[in-house]
Amino acid sequence: MNKCLVMVDLQNDYFPEGKMELTGIEDAAENARILLTAFRKKKLTIIHIQHISVGPNAFFFLPKTDGVKINDRVTPQEGEAVVVKNYPNSFRDTSLLEILRNAHVDNLVICGAMSHMCIDATTRAAFDLGFSCVVAEDACATMDLFFNKKIIKASEVHASFMAALSFPYAKVVLTRDIVEDMA
């Protein structure tokens, strides 16, 4: 199987001093960096997904801002594709599927942000398109949500979405397990 690392929305607005800081983003980014290093060593396909907000009510990931840039911890290198998206699903109206098919990729390792939004939407879409998916759960981050007059803590949001993805959409594991499997 040809593996590809898909790094979703690891952009400055999700980090401290950004417009929408996520819980655990720095730890998630460090684990994403570990995955990135392992994939680079093996010379495997790496795709960075960059969300650019275009809606009239958008307040983060705005074009031509520092917040929209991919964070320095996981900066793309020459030869690594950057796919720009405008929706939670990284496949919707993007070149992602074409890039993966041209690279003959059938196994995706997915990480990034947010667990409950773009990681969920991208993983489900990838599964539906026939890809075998692995989600590095400790290389993903999310935020507290408010629903029905209740605050749902980020840790509970993250765990719920990882549990939901773990069957049948993806194998949900730790970064170290992915790296060990690559050795």
Side-chain angles (χ1 to χ4, degrees):
M1 284 192 189
N2 192 359
K3 287 186 182 180
C4 174
L5 177 61
V6 180
M7 305 186 70
V8 182
D9 300 350
L10 289 170
Q11 296 166 243
N12 289 334
D13 270 343
Y14 281 157
F15 287 80
E17 301 180 27
K19 292 184 179 174
M20 200 164 147
E21 183 180 346
L22 302 181
T23 301
I25 189 63
E26 293 191 33
D27 289 339
E30 178 57 25
N31 286 319
R33 188 193 62 73
I34 291 167
L35 288 170
L36 186 58
T37 299
F39 272 72
R40 285 174 175 161
K41 277 185 181 177
K42 294 283 188 180
K43 297 185 181 350
L44 295 169
T45 304
I46 298 164
I47 300 174
H48 301 264
I49 307 294
Q50 181 182 32
H51 191 108
I52 297 181
S53 297
V54 295
N57 298 322
F59 67 95
F60 68 103
F61 292 164
L62 299 175
K64 300 178 185 173
T65 65
D66 188 55
V68 79
K69 294 177 185 171
I70 294 173
N71 189 266
D72 289 342
R73 290 170 182 87
V74 292
T75 300
Q77 290 184 352
E78 187 175 329
E80 296 173 359
V82 176
V83 173
V84 172
K85 70 178 179 66
N86 307 117
Y87 300 98
N89 174 354
S90 299
F91 290 92
R92 182 176 173 189
D93 297 337
T94 73
S95 59
L96 180 56
L97 181 59
E98 179 182 355
I99 292 168
L100 292 170
R101 287 202 170 135
N102 287 341
H104 306 289
V105 167
D106 48 20
N107 188 349
L108 305 182
V109 174
I110 300 168
C111 67
M114 289 186 291
S115 307
H116 76 280
M117 187 68 66
C118 300
I119 298 303
D120 181 66
T122 298
T123 302
R124 289 172 186 262
F127 174 84
D128 287 345
L129 289 166
F131 292 96
S132 174
C133 301
V134 173
V135 174
E137 69 100 354
D138 59 345
C140 297
T142 194
M143 59 192 274
D144 292 351
L145 295 180
F146 184 76
F147 179 74
N148 207 17
K149 300 180 183 177
K150 294 178 186 172
I151 295 175
I152 300 98
K153 300 303 287 177
S155 61
E156 294 172 15
V157 172
H158 179 76
S160 295
F161 275 82
M162 293 299 110
L165 286 174
S166 69
F167 183 80
Y169 297 102
K171 181 178 176 185
V172 178
V173 298
L174 298 172
T175 295
R176 72 170 180 255
D177 297 329
I178 296 167
V179 173
E180 285 173 10
D181 284 348
M182 294 174 67

